[in-house]
Amino acid sequence: MKIEVLDGFDCIGGNKILVVDNSNDGFLLDFGLNFSRWSLYFEEYLRPRTGKILHDLLKLDLLPKLNVYRGDLEPPHFDSDEKIRFLFLSHGHEDHTGFSGLISENIPLLITNETLAILKANAEIRQEVWNELYLRKRLRIQQEGIYRPDVLKTEKKAFIQRKICVHSNYDDSSAVDSDYFVQLAIDDLWKDELHVLPVYHSVIGAAGLVAKVDDWWVAYTGDFRTGPQTTDEESFWRENLGEKRLSLSKRTERFFDFLKDKRPLLLIVEGTTVARETSFSGNEKDVYQSALELVQSTNKLVIVDFSVKHLERLMSFLKIAMQTDRLLVLMPKDYAYLVTMGATEPIWNLSDREKEHLKVYHTAKTTFAGLERTVMEQARSEGILLLPEAINSRPSSYMIAAGYWDFHNILDLDEEILRGSIYIHSTSEAYTEEQQMDFLRFGNWTKRFCIKTHGFEVTEDGQVRFTKQFHASGHVGAEKLEQIISDLNPDLILPVHTTNREWFTKRWEKKVISNSPFRL
């Protein structure tokens, strides 16, 4: 067996892991975009040339040299001769799925139904060739004259059917669109046992993979965190956040219970937080309580910032809106994620009472297209489309979900309404220099309109400071991770998605794989 970490080794993000058995059959675990390496060459206004996408990314060593890429992108042939049976996408974050649009249509995607819903919404809202869900065929330009014959042009109405295997967590699941996909069963993907098991993370649909390879069990956790740890915590979740949320929070526990019976030879495990000096122990219960207390303390407009892909956080703020007699206002693109998730996994459809506390903001665009247009028309027909005049007349009745990229929409509101309103930062902090600059700029907006910020501030000396009372990490804390691995007791441990492999070697010494590729 050969295990090779193509990306995600000694860094966070960009996971691409190759597992190959002794007959040269293999599979890929994630195929993500490594934002750190990407930012060495690209930024918002300097992007890859889509007409030469595969050529450019390979030349910059942003993609591994494997024979796994779409034929219409005219890939070169490499010496590697592994037969890749499938690509498992563990969850819908770009650092795990971001390059999946380049993978050959003949290599099936193994994916959960919830992750498929997220990728569907992404495909409708914004899509680049490197992360396409619906593969638009590319051809060489045939026109003579000023056109280069080596540039590939999109045939907008010509789609390539890709193979897909969708794992659903529930009995109810939507059919996969046969115009774009050929659906396979999980038994079609691998010659031995293969299991997809949900885990708990900061995005719905996250899962781990357990596969038998050369008669040995190999397990990949993807990214995960843990749920309530005590009976009292479970009772709080059940009473305040609901049975659905409690069941979601216990997915990681069920994943590792399954693994204990298998006793894996190899555990490929994330270690995102182990390098941090302090491990923040907050969870969704803490976020909910902190935000509820703050919203209850004000009669001003509330602006909240969270990722709507983090559907669980959305449900927390919707519950807070219900308890404080407010209406939660979503931007159209964010409402699109909610609608798509409900259509794909019906358990995430809102109840009638929840719908009564939800509105969709009209963002002053003159044209809407695709899914955004669909949800705008749906919002209008359902009577939940909201104009700024409603907020200006009763600001204390609303909670607006608006982050950095949506904040210009507050320009619709009266300055007296914004003065003294509160902003709650309930998403991750800035990790890169570019993100720090974004938040310094964002601070100018909140200062200009005298908005009180919570969870983030710009200090007098121009530094961005984050507090964590409104955010819970999507990754397991170091102490809990040590307990999980020790209880599981795998023969070998491969840390990925971490900058501190030494944390693992200090605890499990020779069990920890410290080189890639690694052969058994």
Side-chain angles (χ1 to χ4, degrees):
M1 188 194 306
K2 181 179 81 168
I3 315 292
E4 184 171 2
V5 183
L6 306 161
D7 201 352
F9 201 57
D10 290 337
C11 64
I12 292 175
N15 279 22
K16 303 178 193 70
I17 303 161
L18 175 65
V19 179
V20 181
D21 70 10
N22 59 19
S23 63
N24 227 23
D25 283 346
F27 51 84
L28 288 165
L29 302 171
D30 286 330
F31 212 71
L33 191 156
N34 185 323
F35 287 104
S36 296
R37 293 176 63 190
W38 179 271
S39 65
L40 295 175
Y41 307 105
F42 300 119
E43 49 95 12
E44 185 178 358
Y45 297 107
L46 176 60
R47 311 285 279 172
R49 301 177 298 172
T50 56
K52 297 275 291 180
I53 184 65
L54 199 58
H55 168 275
D56 290 3
L57 294 179
L58 285 166
K59 199 158 191 176
L60 291 170
D61 293 323
L62 293 176
L63 288 174
K65 293 177 172 57
L66 293 174
N67 296 312
V68 295
Y69 300 109
R70 289 164 46 181
D72 66 311
L73 299 181
E74 300 187 354
H77 183 77
F78 301 107
D79 291 336
S80 65
D81 57 356
E82 302 91 353
K83 182 171 179 54
I84 306 302
R85 298 290 185 177
F86 64 91
L87 163 62
F88 171 66
L89 298 178
S90 63
H91 62 280
H93 283 153
E94 283 189 85
D95 63 332
H96 292 256
T97 67
F99 283 141
S100 59
L102 305 176
I103 292 292
S104 168
E105 66 275 16
N106 294 316
I107 296 176
L109 300 184
L110 177 56
I111 192 171
T112 67
N113 220 20
E114 292 165 319
T115 298
L116 178 61
I118 289 171
L119 298 188
K120 279 182 176 181
N122 286 344
E124 293 282 356
I125 295 166
R126 54 178 181 79
Q127 189 89 101
E128 301 284 0
V129 60
W130 52 86
N131 62 7
E132 285 179 334
L133 177 65
Y134 307 115
L135 304 182
R136 294 168 293 180
K137 189 173 184 179
R138 289 182 169 258
L139 297 172
R140 285 190 173 229
I141 296 175
Q142 302 297 317
Q143 295 160 280
E144 295 182 357
I146 63 173
Y147 300 100
R148 280 177 50 176
D150 61 331
V151 175
L152 301 173
K153 178 184 177 183
T154 300
E155 293 292 302
K156 292 186 177 179
K157 294 184 179 180
F159 289 90
I160 305 171
Q161 276 190 322
R162 78 188 314 173
K163 295 179 180 178
I164 192 167
C165 175
V166 180
H167 170 81
S168 178
N169 306 318
Y170 314 107
D171 294 334
D172 259 332
S173 64
S174 62
V176 171
D177 193 331
S178 59
D179 290 339
Y180 305 106
F181 303 111
V182 176
Q183 187 164 9
L184 303 176
I186 195 167
D187 292 341
D188 298 330
L189 303 185
W190 192 241
K191 52 195 172 185
D192 214 324
E193 287 190 63
L194 186 66
H195 304 273
V196 175
L197 295 109
V199 296
Y200 185 41
H201 184 41
S202 57
V203 63
I204 297 294
L209 187 80
V210 183
K212 187 170 273 191
V213 185
D214 292 338
D215 294 325
W216 292 324
W217 287 107
V218 173
Y220 173 55
T221 66
D223 291 355
F224 72 98
R225 61 177 171 179
T226 53
Q229 301 297 304
T230 66
T231 304
D232 287 344
E233 281 188 352
E234 282 196 19
S235 297
F236 178 91
W237 282 63
R238 183 176 289 109
E239 293 167 12
N240 294 277
L241 302 179
E243 199 67 49
K244 181 168 59 178
R245 294 279 300 277
L246 178 61
S247 178
L248 173 70
S249 73
K250 297 176 79 65
R251 286 180 175 182
T252 293
E253 181 182 329
R254 292 192 288 267
F255 173 78
F256 283 104
D257 283 345
F258 178 88
L259 274 190
K260 285 176 185 177
D261 293 335
K262 302 299 181 186
R263 181 61 168 67
L265 172 82
L266 171 64
L267 178 67
I268 306 172
V269 61
E270 73 132 308
T272 308
T273 66
V274 298
R276 298 175 185 171
E277 292 181 6
T278 58
S279 180
F280 181 64
S281 60
N283 58 35
E284 294 300 321
K285 167 196 167 186
D286 300 321
V287 172
Y288 169 79
Q289 286 185 305
S290 298
L292 176 62
E293 290 172 8
L294 181 56
V295 175
Q296 285 175 330
S297 71
T298 183
N299 60 359
K300 296 287 189 176
L301 176 69
V302 175
I303 304 169
V304 294
D305 184 3
F306 58 92
S307 170
V308 177
K309 290 182 188 178
H310 190 350
L311 185 60
E312 189 185 12
R313 189 69 53 80
L314 183 151
M315 299 304 288
S316 284
F317 280 108
L318 182 54
K319 183 69 179 290
I320 289 169
M322 294 165 68
Q323 290 196 264
T324 57
D325 198 25
R326 290 176 182 259
L327 299 171
L328 178 63
V329 183
L330 299 182
M331 299 298 152
K333 61 181 176 56
D334 296 333
Y335 184 57
Y337 280 108
L338 189 61
V339 169
T340 306
M341 184 64 73
T344 303
E345 286 288 14
I347 196 171
W348 292 109
N349 278 323
L350 297 181
S351 68
D352 289 341
R353 184 162 180 266
E354 288 169 333
K355 289 178 181 177
E356 291 173 359
H357 288 265
L358 193 68
K359 295 288 184 181
V360 178
Y361 190 75
H362 197 302
T363 54
K365 289 175 65 173
T366 56
T367 58
F368 295 90
L371 181 59
E372 196 172 22
R373 181 180 180 85
T374 301
V375 299
M376 284 291 285
E377 290 175 345
Q378 179 178 334
R380 183 176 61 83
S381 67
E382 293 176 354
I384 62 172
L385 191 61
L386 190 72
L387 298 178
E389 290 78 10
I391 300 174
N392 282 327
S393 64
R394 292 188 301 120
S396 62
S397 297
Y398 294 96
M399 181 189 300
I400 305 175
Y404 177 78
W405 300 107
D406 303 308
F407 217 68
H408 54 276
N409 289 297
I410 71 167
L411 295 173
D412 289 329
L413 306 180
D414 295 342
E415 290 201 37
E416 283 305 310
I417 297 300
L418 293 171
R419 185 182 304 277
S421 64
I422 66 171
Y423 162 85
I424 301 174
H425 182 76
S426 185
T427 186
S428 59
E429 60 191 82
Y431 292 107
T432 67
E433 186 176 341
E434 291 82 2
Q435 290 172 334
Q436 290 278 338
M437 289 299 298
D438 288 343
F439 274 97
L440 286 172
R441 188 179 300 111
F442 186 68
N444 294 334
W445 282 82
T446 57
K447 182 179 179 181
R448 166 66 179 78
F449 293 104
C450 301
I451 298 170
K452 298 177 182 179
T453 62
H454 298 265
F456 125 90
E457 66 174 351
V458 178
T459 62
E460 291 184 1
D461 60 352
Q463 299 298 309
V464 179
R465 189 173 73 88
F466 295 88
T467 57
K468 297 181 182 293
Q469 71 268 39
F470 304 107
H471 181 61
S473 174
H475 303 276
V476 62
E479 183 178 345
K480 186 62 179 177
L481 180 60
E482 182 174 2
Q483 178 189 328
I484 287 171
I485 296 175
S486 296
D487 289 347
L488 191 60
N489 192 27
D491 293 283
L492 293 167
I493 302 164
L494 175 57
V496 295
H497 211 276
T498 184
T499 56
N500 192 353
R501 195 155 24 97
E502 292 75 18
W503 182 89
F504 291 86
T505 56
K506 282 180 182 178
R507 287 157 177 78
W508 296 285
E509 300 176 338
K510 293 182 179 180
K511 281 189 172 188
V512 179
I513 296 174
S514 56
N515 60 295
S516 178
F518 181 81
R519 292 186 180 273
L520 296 174

